Amino acid sequence: MVINHDPSAGRPGSPERFRAAIAVVFFWRQVARVAKVEKKGKSSSKKNAGVPVIDRPLPKDRFFNRELSWLAFNQRVLAQAADESVPILERAKFLAITSSNLDEFMMVRVGGLKILKQRNPTQRDPTGMVAVEQLQAVAKKGHEIVERQYRLLHSEVQPQLESAGIVNIDLDQASETELMAATARFWRDVFPVLSPQAVSPDSFPLLQGLGVHLFVRLRRDPATRLGTAPEIADTTEGVERRDDEPRDDCEYALIPMGRALPRVLPVSGDNRHGYILLENLVSHFVDEFFPGREVVECIPFRLTRNADIEFREDAASDLLGGMEEILENRRFSRPVRLEYGATASDEAVELLQRVHHLHAEDLYPIDGPLDLSFLFRLHSEEGFDHLRDDVWPAKPHPRIDPEESMFATIAAGDLLLVHPYDRFDSVVRLIEEAAVDPDVLAIKQVLYRTSKNSPVVAALEKAAERGKYVTAIVELKARFDEARNIEWAKEMERAGVQVIYGIHGLKTHAKVCIIIRREPQGIVRYMHFGTGNYNEATAKLYSDISLLTCDEVLGRDATSFFNAITGASQPRGMEELAAAPTTMRRRVLDLIEGETQRSLQGGRAQITAKLNALVDTEVIDALYRASRAGVKIRLNVRGQCCLRPGVKGISETIEVVSIVDRFLEHARIFCFHQGGEEKLLIGSADWMPRNLDRRIELLVPVADRTCADRLKEVLEIYFKDNVSRWQMGPDGEYRKPSRGDAPAIRSQRVLYDRVVQAWKKAESSRRVTFRPISADS
């Protein structure tokens, strides 16, 4: 083979001959390396020859990164905003959701990674990445998401809103009527409230996280400068200077938008629903705040601060006071992200970056309004129902009779409610009835997140005021709901409720209410177990499960569980319930291993699970082992999934789907085939280390046949969905399967329609039922 036609190539010492020799050496080294790898592979094969497939070592690349998996979920939500079949105000809402989701991710997950980078920079996650590598990967994906958000806003969402008459007014192009209305609003409502603040690079104030501020660069107006010597020539005269060029005579100021004024301000005129954002209105009139100054630049910016602040319970004598201190510290913790108007000068960006100690990947130039959560406000505007989803009113469970006591209904048989299609009011009604029922002796309840004006809290207070024994475990460490929970805890204590502020070192996340009632046959425990919070507001938006029962065994277990928490002791052995962090992990692993062994013995084995996140490596490895044994595994994971499905020899029998639709999928449901004697369970915990090891959670079996059958139907419909279902591939990418000519199956719509049909049937039956009038009625 001729390498070079140059006659000088063969001369000793020539560069060409030297390079050829190097190439030959490199070639044989590669050959030797390949041979070594092949030999090692053969040796490894021989080593594993007698080892059962399920016991062979798993590859190191079997996990996906948790943070990138979460960002992939936010991309699926963003895809809803891009879906042209979704009404335009719903698309705007999904944009707002992705924005608020990203805020929380930055505060908690990125904040945690930055702390890890400082404290333990060499620690690797299950994928082998150290903190700095994760931060770089997250920043790259985060910038991609933000870029797509604003591309959608400008190219599709905002133009369609304007076509429908919902217009973001640009005062430079506004009509005379709109400009007059905006001017009046500024002088009447805005100017008297806001105050500018002079700042310098050496004296920069602590700014509240997630608040919108204006950064203003100023020069003194030459006409108003005092003490200028006219005889001294200006040596810069005639030299063109750019506005973004640093100047010694520039000064800086901030105008915080604060929280006292609404961000979305209506602007009437021209027969359209006009609005202007507060920061845009102030920017338009910014000169009014600085008389005698020339405004060189005015740009909006927003800081995101680290919310992953640890609370040292071992060093705190007062949990309530400690949590209040955490809330105060969170307001001024280290910034993790800076968002700013894309037109900002280099000088402004460099200053803001320097004073807040941020890296280049923490900077997010925004081509549009900062913080798209203002779109929630537009979504709720009256008069635009045609731009929103059709309303799906929740229905009462067909067995719940408004004229019959909830206790009588539950005593007649367990009830399974599927929210938000079945009304959550039934759960609230049970607690409200318990508060005034003279036969109710005690109520025990865990509260993790509640609504602003919670009827559940009001019922507990009423019960305590009526002399009932009421105990509430209020989790003060529920992130971003700490302030509300502290307020509720104090209020309930004043009403006479025995309040327990969670457990040392753990978050109490279980969803359980126990009502102890005196009946002719003795004491009966009525219980509610759920997968969601006691929050009637989010119960209209989240897909969750409730189980109402007076099962004696579950009652004993629930009481043991609750008293162990309040008494700071170990729970007695429970017959049916499994609790984290004591028995739940072992129960889950045993259930998975049970299916593995059945498959190895030639029996049919199957696991179906619906949960919000799958991150725990021990559980994932158990699922890999089950798959290698031939167990069919179907996982409906809404968000983070670190398991790699469909990999030959590892997870061939595992399918992972994710449902993203109008309601947030939040229920945790599990089904293990168990040789045909299927075991159905609901729970408060995802398969994550924090849930299994660092939280107090419950896993509850659903034994009633009717309830179990309905629960199985709910599980199954998600895997038939061909509208809202995303399929996860071995590469970690999510794709929507092609529907082809098949009829559309939208799981949430199917679940709602089934509830409506059952309700109509029950209502029809009640209309033909004769009810005798008693003397007491």
Side-chain angles (χ1 to χ4, degrees):
M1 177 180 177
V2 179
I3 298 177
N4 196 321
H5 292 290
D6 187 348
S8 66
R11 289 201 304 266
S14 68
E16 292 80 4
R17 187 170 183 178
F18 177 75
R19 282 194 293 269
I22 290 294
V24 170
V25 171
F26 180 77
F27 170 76
W28 284 111
R29 281 185 177 174
Q30 287 292 96
V31 171
R33 188 177 290 114
V34 171
K36 184 177 180 181
V37 170
E38 288 178 350
K39 182 178 179 182
K40 183 179 179 182
K42 291 177 181 177
S43 173
S44 177
S45 297
K46 289 179 180 178
K47 184 178 179 181
N48 291 327
V51 179
V53 173
I54 64 169
D55 293 328
R56 291 178 185 174
L58 290 164
K60 292 182 179 179
D61 63 348
R62 64 190 184 275
F63 301 115
F64 289 118
N65 177 263
R66 169 182 178 171
E67 319 306 343
L68 296 179
S69 182
W70 186 93
L71 288 171
F73 162 66
N74 210 35
Q75 286 179 303
R76 296 195 294 280
V77 179
L78 188 55
Q80 291 293 103
D83 189 340
E84 294 180 0
S85 68
V86 176
I88 190 58
L89 276 178
E90 302 299 336
R91 294 175 67 183
K93 182 191 72 175
F94 279 113
L95 266 183
I97 291 171
T98 62
S99 179
S100 59
N101 281 353
L102 203 54
D103 285 348
E104 183 171 338
F105 178 80
M106 290 290 172
M107 287 189 287
V108 178
R109 301 307 307 171
V110 172
L113 285 174
K114 284 184 175 288
I115 292 173
L116 180 62
K117 178 185 171 184
Q118 290 178 336
R119 296 182 181 177
N120 196 351
T122 61
Q123 181 176 322
R124 297 185 180 276
D125 78 331
T127 67
M129 298 171 70
V130 296
V132 69
E133 293 171 327
Q134 294 183 71
L135 284 169
Q136 290 168 352
V138 162
K140 181 176 182 295
K141 185 62 69 175
H143 280 87
E144 290 174 4
I145 291 175
V146 170
E147 183 181 343
R148 190 179 181 209
Q149 283 177 327
Y150 285 88
R151 191 165 62 245
L152 275 172
L153 177 70
H154 293 310
S155 66
E156 298 183 35
V157 174
Q158 200 157 284
Q160 290 188 40
L161 287 175
E162 289 177 358
S163 298
I166 303 174
V167 182
N168 187 353
I169 301 295
D170 180 352
L171 291 182
D172 291 328
Q173 301 176 14
S175 68
E176 184 178 350
T177 303
E178 291 167 338
L179 185 58
M180 289 177 60
T183 302
R185 185 69 180 261
F186 173 78
W187 288 111
R188 183 182 69 246
D189 300 330
V190 177
F191 186 78
V193 176
L194 303 185
S195 299
Q197 180 177 4
V199 298
S200 72
D202 300 323
S203 177
F204 212 88
L206 286 169
L207 303 177
Q208 192 167 41
L210 299 185
V212 177
H213 303 76
L214 293 180
F215 175 82
V216 186
R217 198 154 55 96
L218 303 161
R219 283 200 298 264
R220 288 193 178 277
D221 190 324
T224 63
R225 292 186 189 179
L226 301 176
T228 302
E231 67 274 10
I232 299 178
D234 185 356
T235 58
T236 63
E237 186 176 353
V239 178
E240 185 177 349
R241 183 185 296 274
R242 294 180 12 246
D243 277 345
D244 65 349
E245 187 176 341
R247 294 180 56 117
D248 292 338
D249 61 346
C250 270
E251 297 174 349
Y252 310 105
L254 301 177
I255 307 179
M257 296 299 98
R259 295 180 178 177
L261 297 173
R263 189 178 177 206
V264 178
L265 304 171
V267 177
S268 58
D270 291 1
N271 297 318
R272 58 182 183 175
H273 185 85
Y275 71 92
I276 187 170
L277 297 181
L278 176 63
E279 63 268 25
N280 292 343
L281 179 63
V282 177
S283 294
H284 187 80
F285 293 101
V286 67
D287 295 287
E288 304 296 342
F289 289 93
F290 305 100
R293 304 285 186 92
E294 176 190 359
V295 175
V296 178
E297 180 179 20
C298 178
I299 56 114
F301 73 96
R302 191 172 81 125
L303 288 173
T304 305
R305 294 188 177 276
N306 192 340
D308 193 32
I309 300 173
E310 293 181 351
F311 174 53
R312 289 287 308 277
E313 293 185 60
D314 55 342
S317 58
D318 175 16
L319 179 59
L320 186 62
M323 290 311 302
E324 289 174 331
E325 184 179 345
I326 282 285
L327 291 175
E328 183 65 22
N329 290 342
R330 187 181 289 164
R331 294 175 57 205
F332 305 113
S333 59
R334 185 79 175 264
V336 296
R337 177 181 61 167
L338 169 67
E339 299 167 281
Y340 57 89
T343 59
S345 66
D346 291 344
E347 179 181 351
V349 176
E350 288 168 7
L351 188 151
L352 291 171
Q353 179 183 358
R354 185 171 72 254
V355 298
H356 293 111
H357 309 287
L358 292 164
H359 299 286
E361 65 264 22
D362 304 325
L363 307 181
Y364 286 76
I366 303 298
D367 181 20
L370 308 186
D371 182 14
L372 295 178
S373 65
F374 78 89
L375 294 169
F376 283 125
R377 172 71 174 76
L378 299 187
H379 180 268
S380 63
E381 283 294 329
E382 294 183 1
F384 294 96
D385 289 347
H386 61 291
L387 303 180
R388 284 186 284 264
D389 282 331
D390 294 338
V391 178
W392 295 356
K395 302 299 182 184
H397 189 283
R399 272 192 48 217
I400 296 177
D401 188 334
E403 298 182 20
E404 184 177 64
S405 161
M406 285 296 296
F407 296 111
T409 301
I410 297 170
D414 292 359
L415 293 173
L416 187 91
L417 308 181
V418 182
H419 308 299
Y421 320 107
D422 289 319
R423 281 186 185 170
F424 187 76
D425 300 5
S426 305
V427 178
V428 175
R429 181 184 154 197
L430 171 65
I431 301 169
E432 289 177 336
E433 282 188 17
V436 297
D437 188 323
D439 292 322
V440 168
L441 304 176
I443 304 173
K444 305 169 186 282
Q445 185 157 6
V446 176
L447 295 174
Y448 188 73
R449 299 188 194 276
T450 56
S451 60
K452 186 176 181 181
N453 299 303
S454 172
V456 171
V457 171
L460 295 178
E461 292 174 357
K462 181 183 288 186
E465 290 165 353
R466 287 174 172 257
K468 302 185 189 304
Y469 199 113
V470 182
T471 306
I473 299 172
V474 180
E475 182 47 75
L476 298 186
K477 301 186 288 293
R479 198 188 303 271
F480 305 123
D481 274 326
E482 299 98 336
R484 180 177 294 166
N485 286 4
I486 288 171
E487 180 183 342
W488 283 134
K490 290 178 177 178
E491 185 176 313
M492 285 192 290
E493 279 188 319
R494 288 193 291 269
V497 176
Q498 179 187 17
V499 177
I500 310 296
Y501 298 127
I503 297 300
H504 179 84
L506 301 169
K507 278 187 180 181
T508 308
H509 190 246
K511 323 298 183 187
V512 59
C513 175
I514 311 167
I515 298 167
I516 293 86
R517 191 169 188 260
R518 180 179 49 228
E519 297 188 354
Q521 70 273 27
I523 295 295
V524 178
R525 300 178 183 91
Y526 292 86
M527 290 149 292
H528 169 264
F529 297 102
T531 64
N533 296 305
Y534 291 98
N535 185 323
E536 77 290 345
T538 57
K540 297 175 182 176
L541 306 172
Y542 291 11
S543 171
D544 271 305
I545 300 294
S546 286
L547 177 66
L548 298 170
T549 181
C550 58
D551 180 87
E552 188 175 346
V553 176
L554 291 179
R556 288 198 302 267
D557 282 358
T559 303
S560 174
F561 167 78
F562 198 94
N563 290 346
I565 297 174
T566 58
S569 59
Q570 289 292 324
R572 295 179 178 177
M574 294 188 289
E575 298 176 59
E576 293 292 343
L577 297 181
T582 52
T583 60
M584 187 182 292
R585 174 181 289 277
R586 186 71 265 157
R587 178 75 61 86
V588 169
L589 293 173
D590 286 347
L591 287 167
I592 295 172
E593 182 61 18
E595 297 302 309
T596 302
Q597 292 302 321
R598 286 184 186 87
S599 185
L600 289 173
Q601 293 165 15
R604 183 188 170 194
Q606 182 169 315
I607 299 169
T608 307
K610 180 184 183 300
L611 56 164
N612 300 330
L614 173 55
V615 174
D616 190 85
T617 55
E618 188 177 13
V619 173
I620 291 173
D621 280 349
L623 293 170
Y624 283 145
R625 173 181 162 83
S627 179
R628 281 177 159 182
V631 179
K632 182 180 179 181
I633 302 171
R634 298 179 302 162
L635 304 173
N636 176 1
V637 186
R638 182 196 78 206
Q640 302 145 291
C641 180
C642 298
L643 177 146
R644 192 184 292 270
V647 178
K648 187 175 181 180
I650 300 171
S651 56
E652 289 173 270
T653 65
I654 302 180
E655 175 188 10
V656 176
V657 305
S658 175
I659 303 294
V660 180
D661 203 343
R662 67 186 292 175
F663 300 127
L664 180 75
E665 292 295 335
H666 191 254
R668 291 92 168 182
I669 310 171
F670 311 95
C671 178
F672 297 87
H673 186 66
Q674 291 200 340
E677 298 293 327
E678 288 183 328
K679 190 173 187 67
L680 276 294
L681 308 100
I682 62 171
S684 59
D686 293 309
W687 287 346
M688 304 176 72
R690 74 176 188 186
N691 297 94
L692 299 175
D693 302 327
R694 300 191 297 276
R695 287 186 173 185
I696 295 175
E697 308 270 15
L698 274 179
L699 185 63
V700 184
V702 178
D704 180 89
R705 196 65 260 161
T706 302
C707 293
D709 288 345
R710 188 182 186 199
L711 199 57
K712 183 71 182 300
E713 286 180 2
V714 172
L715 263 182
E716 291 295 330
I717 191 59
Y718 290 113
F719 293 95
K720 297 175 183 176
D721 192 313
N722 55 20
V723 174
S724 308
R725 174 170 60 96
W726 294 80
Q727 197 87 23
M728 184 184 185
D731 57 357
E733 294 295 320
Y734 286 81
R735 302 170 182 87
K736 279 195 171 183
S738 174
R739 187 167 78 231
D741 296 329
I745 301 175
R746 183 182 175 192
S747 53
Q748 292 190 354
R749 179 80 231 193
V750 171
L751 291 171
Y752 178 68
D753 287 345
R754 288 178 179 175
V755 164
V756 171
Q757 290 167 10
W759 170 75
K760 286 181 177 178
K761 185 177 179 180
E763 284 295 291
S764 176
S765 174
R766 287 194 186 102
R767 278 196 290 269
V768 298
T769 301
F770 296 99
R771 292 178 179 274
I773 300 175
S774 65
D776 298 329
S777 58

